[in-house]
Amino acid sequence: MSDDWAAQRTEAARVQAERLRARQDVEHAQAEALLHDFVRAAAAAGLEPEPLQVKGYGGRGTARTSLRGWYLRQDRTAAVTTDGAFYVLTAPLTLLDRVRGAHVTPQRPPMILGAGGKDGSSIELVAALQRVLPGWQAPTT
């Protein structure tokens, strides 16, 4: 009986993980579409992208990147580039990174930036984009 129970629990955990992954995929796809719409709106509005920098963990220095785009958080730890890619701009920086520049890789964007962090540190992606370019998104009716 315990083998049957363990198999059922394992299967239930697998199904639950698949459902979570599916929900996350939907959320990421929505956020990616939103970022691409924003980039088009920013270009149409003439909003100039700026060079993006990476912050070291714990506020320990910064390093330039080859990226250009718009910061999404006031602390400059997340950004969208001109091609609509999402970046988290914090990393463990070495002295070499600070001198030569850092390489960061794009990540799948969330609908809420900083979710699960300290109170007051999260912001909805839509609100973050609205701060960068007020009125960029046509109201839905």
Side-chain angles (χ1 to χ4, degrees):
M1 179 155 149
S2 73
D3 287 343
D4 188 39
W5 179 85
Q8 288 176 344
R9 296 308 318 143
T10 300
E11 178 61 14
R14 186 192 62 75
V15 168
Q16 190 71 2
E18 281 180 12
R19 289 179 182 160
L20 175 62
R21 229 179 346 269
R23 280 193 309 269
Q24 288 172 334
D25 285 344
V26 167
E27 177 183 323
H28 291 308
Q30 290 172 338
E32 287 165 349
L34 200 59
L35 290 176
H36 286 284
D37 290 346
F38 171 81
V39 168
R40 280 191 293 277
L47 183 64
E48 286 295 318
E50 62 182 292
L52 301 176
Q53 293 186 335
V54 177
K55 285 186 167 192
Y57 288 153
R60 293 191 170 99
T62 60
R64 69 184 181 285
T65 69
S66 61
L67 305 171
R68 293 185 57 79
W70 302 273
Y71 291 104
L72 299 176
R73 296 180 54 96
Q74 289 180 334
D75 64 3
R76 297 177 159 236
T77 57
V80 59
T81 56
T82 56
D83 62 356
F86 174 78
Y87 289 85
V88 173
L89 297 174
T90 57
L93 297 177
T94 65
L95 181 59
L96 198 56
D97 291 330
R98 291 185 188 122
V99 173
R100 289 189 180 168
H103 175 74
V104 290
T105 56
Q107 297 184 12
R108 296 205 67 196
M111 286 299 288
I112 299 177
L113 303 174
K118 298 182 292 187
D119 285 346
S121 68
S122 64
I123 183 171
E124 290 184 17
L125 181 58
V126 173
L129 294 170
Q130 195 68 20
R131 274 200 303 211
V132 176
L133 183 61
W136 74 273
Q137 194 175 34
T140 55
T141 55

